[in-house]
Amino acid sequence: MNEEIAFWKEIAFWILSAIAVLGALVAVRKRNLIHGVFALLVFFAGLSGLFLLLLAEFIAAVQVLVYIGAVGVLLLFAIMLTERVAGDDDRRMTSRGWSWGLVMAAAVFVVLLLPPILQLPSPEAAQEIKPSVEELGHKLMNPYVVTLEVLALLLTAALIGAVTAAQGVRMPKEEDSPE
Amino acid sequence: MSILGGGIFKGMKVTLWNFVLSYFRRDRLTTNDYSWRPDGDLPQGIGDYPKEEGEQLSDTTTVTNYSRNFPMLLHDGGEPMDTVRCVACQICERECPPQCIYIEKDYDENGKYIKRPAVFDIDVSVCMSCQICVEVCPFDAIVMNSQFELSTPDRFGGLLVRRDDLLKSNDYYHQIHPEEAAARDQKMAVEKAAKEAKKKAAAEKAKAAAEKKAAEAAMGDAE
Amino acid sequence: MSLVLIDILIATVPLMLIFASLFAFTTWLERKALARIQNRIGPNKVGIPCTRISLFGLGQPAADGIKMLFKEDIVPRGADRLFHLLAPILALIPAMLVLCFLPLEFPWTKSLLPVQAFLLDGAVIFFFAITGLNTLAVFMAGWASRNKYSLLGGMRAVAQMVSYEIPLVLSAVIVVMMVGSLNAADIVKEQTGWNWYVFSPWGLAAFVIFFIASLAETNRSPFDLPEAESEIIAGYFTEYSGFKFALFFLGEYIAMFAISGLAVTLFLGGGDGPGLAAAPWLSVVWFLAKIFALIAVMIWLRGTLPRLRVDQLMGFAWKFMLPLSILNILVAGFAWHAQQQNSKTITVITWVISLAILYGTASGLNQLNRGSVRPRKYKYAE
């Protein structure tokens, strides 16, 4: 039974990773912005599935709730308010220096991502870690409470700024009294 | 102060009562009632209604006397265009929010304006039954009718109700909206009495002034 | 055959079958109930096909389904065909997916090998996360129709759903706070023995807020501005015909079931009811009965209340429900601490004080938000 679960987990991992990578590729290459954003949302959904595979349920749910439900909708609204959304053709975007872009991407991967990947604990050891929401709550309240409060302040400032920006700028009235 | 949300609960009680009683009392199903047609058929158009004075219109007897649908012009009995109250002042045409009324004044042979409408059309598909025309009419000439069987197969002119179809007598108005009609009649009677009293006072004053003038002339003559 | 796949199928297929048939029954019930409230008889002609037996119109949902299958599928010219197709699917999938998180304990799942399928530790927050995907479907539908009224309806619908998600989640936080766990089964277990959260003042306030917010989330009357027929024809699904419309319809009703199921889990005790010790399978019956009671109240409200305007809708969410739900969390927190003292007088005092605070705040917010009524002014008649 356990081998079977491990087998299905492997299959799920490959499917979800494929969905995520394909979504990301389509998102950066599509000319039509709305299609691109929806592909990005597919990428987020794939990521959420990967989190779920790692038994981090809370993070998976929050990924869907925040990234897809809030950030995605925000992006869609922003695109809605611009013009020229649907590109004239779905031709892939090509640029002149794409080979250098590939070299830079490989360099970033090797320098930034490869060391942490090599230092990860082995899969057998990883099975022992059980993420729990209660642990997350405790950590947020005790060691990281300052971070939490600073984030809350930042979000409040953003909210107030958004409301102020949405109210519009009032032009000062011309004084036409004979003074 | 009433309970928060009390209105909602009252409404829910009414609908629940409606729901339960609709199983037990068949006469509550008012919108299914076509009992006024002898053969039970549906009416075919707006002109298909009993138009004789005093004939009961069943689709108005099954609704309450507060219901209203689209306006009608009042006349005080007899030949409709002789006693029509509307003088074609066009106030209701201007105040109507969706602008569904179209009025043309009536002129006699010499081109002088006589106080009747020649054309008075209401597009019932546009009318939203807001009653603003009733509120602003200074002559109490337009009030709300409660006929609701208005469907017609004619898409283009079928829902444009002309002046002759809009004219209904004051007795019909008393039939469908008794309290409102009585209040309106009373208001008109009071206004008429006030006008009469004012005319009488003005006539008396004119008579007194004329007598005084005659007396002065006589005195002047006598001197 | 793979045991895991069989387990998954056994856990999910009965849910889909039960709720799909409940959907058919609910559409029939809604039409008949609304008709009786509005002084008319609902559909009563369609019964068993090819016979004259009309079982009070119970065949009507089947007839409607067949009609929608056979309708021509019209896609407007210039519309985004891919999204036009995907939107109803995206509206249906979250609703059906979220049904799996409800703690319905079917008797046959106990005898199988344990599979960590759906009784997740974070079931409640998954519920909210996936219900939030509905907004995307609505948006996609409005955008893909290439119709400015659909787009307008879609934007209004998204604004409404997003604003009412906050009181929804905040009122669920109260129950999660009291229980200390996001697991749906734990929440139900805490409420056994008629210990439901709806019987406490903060729980009752939270339930009312949750119910009203769930009406707004599923675009139900009186919050059905995005799909009202007299407003913008049908709002964001104007351009949908035939089976796609049927999928939207199905998605809306299943979302109603799912949110009612969550309300039952959080506030009304899940499968709690009399007779559980003797027959444990009764818990499913009680769960479904409670869901049906909530659906009946939703239908009743649809027949009673007029529609809210969009500014009244948004004002209600941000200026009334949000402050009230935040205050409710505070009150529930204090009450939880008071109840830890295990003293009867303190409990009674807490109940009275919290009732007073909650009712007072609600009335106060109501008075604050009351607009003024001015007499009408005429332009030409004076």
Side-chain angles (χ1 to χ4, degrees):
Chain A
M1 186 66 190
N2 271 339
E3 309 86 45
E4 203 179 348
I5 294 186
F7 169 68
W8 282 112
K9 265 188 162 175
E10 183 99 6
I11 298 267
F13 170 72
W14 283 110
I15 294 181
L16 285 168
S17 316
I19 292 178
V21 169
L22 275 176
L25 272 178
V26 169
V28 303
R29 301 272 291 169
K30 267 279 198 179
R31 213 180 167 99
N32 186 345
L33 275 178
I34 296 265
H35 286 189
V37 169
F38 274 106
L40 191 68
L41 298 182
V42 166
F43 165 68
F44 290 147
L47 261 189
S48 162
L50 285 172
F51 281 134
L52 202 55
L53 261 185
L54 294 171
L55 297 185
E57 298 146 358
F58 187 72
I59 307 290
V62 167
Q63 167 92 5
V64 173
L65 192 63
V66 169
Y67 271 99
I68 304 185
V71 170
V73 171
L74 177 70
L75 281 175
L76 283 171
F77 265 89
I79 292 181
M80 197 62 64
L81 299 172
T82 62
E83 311 174 352
R84 297 290 310 248
V85 169
D88 290 331
D89 51 354
D90 262 324
R91 205 183 35 169
R92 301 288 181 258
M93 289 196 284
T94 53
S95 55
R96 304 228 356 225
W98 62 272
S99 47
W100 283 110
L102 210 55
V103 167
M104 285 307 297
V108 163
F109 178 72
V110 165
V111 170
L112 286 180
L113 288 180
L114 209 50
I117 292 180
L118 289 176
Q119 285 171 19
L120 278 180
S122 56
E124 293 78 29
Q127 296 284 3
E128 309 302 318
I129 307 174
K130 255 204 141 338
S132 89
V133 184
E134 189 171 345
E135 193 66 28
L136 184 67
H138 273 298
K139 283 252 163 45
L140 268 182
M141 284 296 138
N142 287 333
Y144 295 113
V145 65
V146 177
T147 320
L148 187 67
E149 296 300 327
V150 167
L151 275 175
L153 211 60
L154 192 63
L155 283 174
T156 314
L159 190 64
I160 297 179
V163 169
T164 316
Q167 273 187 347
V169 180
R170 298 220 201 160
M171 302 300 291
K173 268 182 97 109
E174 294 277 313
E175 286 291 341
D176 53 351
S177 56
E179 274 182 357
Chain B
M1 279 231 299
S2 53
I3 303 182
L4 189 68
I8 301 182
F9 288 122
K10 256 198 272 191
M12 285 170 82
K13 193 171 73 122
V14 169
T15 38
L16 184 68
W17 208 230
N18 245 3
F19 177 78
V20 168
L21 282 185
S22 75
Y23 281 104
F24 297 113
R25 296 214 222 129
R26 197 76 184 183
D27 59 340
R28 280 187 78 99
L29 299 173
T30 56
T31 55
N32 279 358
D33 176 29
Y34 292 108
S35 54
W36 62 282
R37 294 283 299 203
D39 43 355
D41 254 335
L42 293 174
Q44 290 303 307
I46 285 185
D48 206 19
Y49 286 92
K51 271 212 285 229
E52 288 83 19
E53 301 302 321
E55 179 165 344
Q56 288 281 54
L57 294 161
S58 262
D59 63 344
T60 57
T61 55
T62 55
V63 299
T64 70
N65 58 353
Y66 296 110
S67 80
R68 61 180 197 226
N69 195 10
F70 68 93
M72 63 183 179
L73 288 176
L74 284 183
H75 67 93
D76 290 310
E79 183 63 35
M81 283 315 288
D82 284 341
T83 54
V84 66
R85 293 188 198 172
C86 173
V87 302
C89 64
Q90 292 178 317
I91 287 184
C92 55
E93 184 184 16
R94 277 177 266 165
E95 288 289 347
C96 175
Q99 292 170 351
C100 66
I101 305 182
Y102 176 71
I103 299 178
E104 273 183 14
K105 297 189 198 301
D106 202 2
Y107 298 96
D108 62 4
E109 313 82 44
N110 301 335
K112 197 168 90 90
Y113 160 56
I114 51 176
K115 293 191 175 160
R116 323 191 301 187
V119 172
F120 196 113
D121 293 339
I122 295 185
D123 192 349
V124 175
S125 61
V126 177
C127 171
M128 58 184 195
S129 313
C130 63
Q131 244 185 336
I132 288 184
C133 53
V134 175
E135 284 175 18
V136 298
C137 179
F139 302 96
D140 292 316
I142 188 168
V143 292
M144 297 308 279
N145 199 354
S146 54
Q147 275 179 345
F148 53 84
E149 296 282 6
L150 298 172
S151 48
T152 164
D154 176 12
R155 185 150 46 127
F156 295 107
L159 284 174
L160 186 70
V161 189
R162 303 237 176 239
R163 179 194 70 184
D164 295 323
D165 288 320
L166 282 173
L167 282 169
K168 296 277 191 301
S169 72
N170 202 12
D171 296 327
Y172 171 68
Y173 183 40
H174 273 278
Q175 245 174 30
I176 55 175
H177 296 149
E179 299 164 7
E180 201 180 305
R184 203 172 278 268
D185 278 350
Q186 194 179 19
K187 184 174 86 121
M188 283 180 68
V190 162
E191 279 179 2
K192 199 158 154 191
K195 213 157 78 168
E196 294 278 317
K198 213 162 134 187
K199 213 156 66 172
K200 213 160 116 181
E204 294 226 332
K205 206 159 145 199
K207 209 164 84 177
E211 275 183 2
K212 202 159 149 204
K213 214 159 153 193
E216 280 187 0
M219 247 201 271
D221 253 355
E223 281 185 1
Chain C
M1 269 301 285
S2 150
L3 223 53
V4 172
L5 278 187
I6 294 184
D7 278 340
I8 294 180
L9 280 178
I10 293 188
T12 46
V13 166
L15 271 178
M16 282 175 36
L17 291 177
I18 289 184
F19 279 102
S21 50
L22 275 184
F23 155 73
F25 182 66
T26 307
T27 49
W28 172 83
L29 181 72
E30 169 159 19
R31 288 176 75 168
K32 293 287 275 188
L34 276 181
R36 290 272 171 188
I37 290 178
Q38 293 164 358
N39 290 336
R40 56 188 171 91
I41 321 177
N44 64 345
K45 297 260 192 291
V46 184
I48 305 179
C50 306
T51 66
R52 285 266 176 136
I53 309 176
S54 56
L55 307 161
F56 302 108
L58 269 173
Q60 186 73 36
D64 277 339
I66 297 179
K67 168 195 85 167
M68 288 199 196
L69 268 176
F70 279 121
K71 269 196 181 176
E72 178 188 356
D73 188 28
I74 304 176
V75 179
R77 177 163 48 160
D80 214 335
R81 288 194 80 103
L82 178 67
F83 282 3
H84 197 90
L85 175 64
L86 277 183
I89 301 178
L90 194 60
L92 182 60
I93 289 185
M96 284 240 148
L97 182 59
V98 103
L99 283 176
C100 303
F101 296 122
L102 295 176
L104 272 170
E105 292 159 7
F106 289 115
W108 50 81
T109 53
K110 288 221 166 73
S111 59
L112 294 173
L113 303 165
V115 172
Q116 278 283 347
F118 301 106
L119 294 184
L120 286 175
D121 260 338
V124 172
I125 198 165
F126 249 102
F127 206 100
F128 292 121
I130 296 188
T131 323
L133 290 182
N134 241 344
T135 59
L136 276 182
V138 165
F139 197 83
M140 224 197 246
W143 173 258
S145 306
R146 207 196 165 88
N147 177 354
K148 51 175 156 321
Y149 297 108
S150 290
L151 190 60
L152 213 54
M155 304 271 274
R156 286 210 283 203
V158 168
Q160 171 187 323
M161 287 164 128
V162 160
S163 0
Y164 277 94
E165 256 175 38
I166 304 184
L168 192 78
V169 176
L170 284 181
S171 51
V173 160
I174 293 183
V175 173
V176 170
M177 207 166 70
M178 299 298 232
V179 173
S181 145
L182 285 169
N183 194 350
D186 279 348
I187 297 179
V188 167
K189 226 186 303 210
E190 280 281 325
Q191 296 182 63
T192 51
W194 293 95
N195 201 12
W196 303 351
Y197 284 120
V198 77
F199 293 141
S200 53
W202 49 91
L204 180 63
F207 176 60
V208 169
I209 296 177
F210 191 94
F211 190 67
I212 299 177
S214 71
L215 281 179
E217 279 290 310
T218 52
N219 285 342
R220 243 355 240 183
S221 251
F223 302 101
D224 61 350
L225 196 74
E227 60 180 42
E229 272 156 23
S230 52
E231 302 291 332
I232 13 184
I233 315 295
Y236 57 90
F237 43 75
T238 311
E239 303 287 345
Y240 285 90
S241 60
F243 199 57
K244 295 182 184 164
F245 179 73
L247 282 181
F248 265 121
F249 206 49
L250 180 67
E252 178 180 323
Y253 275 78
I254 302 250
M256 255 166 69
F257 286 134
I259 280 200
S260 306
L262 186 67
V264 166
T265 314
L266 289 175
F267 298 102
L268 290 176
D272 193 37
L276 274 186
W281 55 268
L282 266 184
S283 74
V284 179
V285 170
W286 286 122
F287 200 95
L288 290 175
K290 285 178 205 171
I291 289 187
F292 244 104
L294 283 183
I295 300 274
V297 173
M298 283 188 182
I299 296 179
W300 191 3
L301 277 176
R302 181 178 178 180
T304 312
L305 292 172
R307 195 170 288 140
L308 284 181
R309 243 182 13 228
V310 68
D311 59 329
Q312 289 169 336
L313 220 144
M314 305 293 278
F316 188 57
W318 291 101
K319 298 190 210 168
F320 183 80
M321 305 247 287
L322 181 62
L324 194 59
S325 43
I326 295 182
L327 185 75
N328 206 4
I329 297 183
L330 263 176
V331 166
F334 281 125
W336 188 80
H337 272 286
Q339 277 181 341
Q340 297 296 95
Q341 315 290 342
N342 273 338
S343 139
K344 213 144 166 89
T345 45
I346 294 192
T347 313
V348 167
I349 294 179
T350 324
W351 273 48
V352 168
I353 294 184
S354 42
L355 249 173
I357 292 181
L358 286 170
Y359 186 75
T361 322
S363 300
L365 284 170
N366 199 16
Q367 286 299 322
L368 265 180
N369 290 340
R370 206 158 267 292
S372 59
V373 178
R374 287 176 292 267
R376 200 184 278 153
K377 282 177 53 158
Y378 294 114
K379 279 196 294 192
Y380 301 109
E382 302 302 338

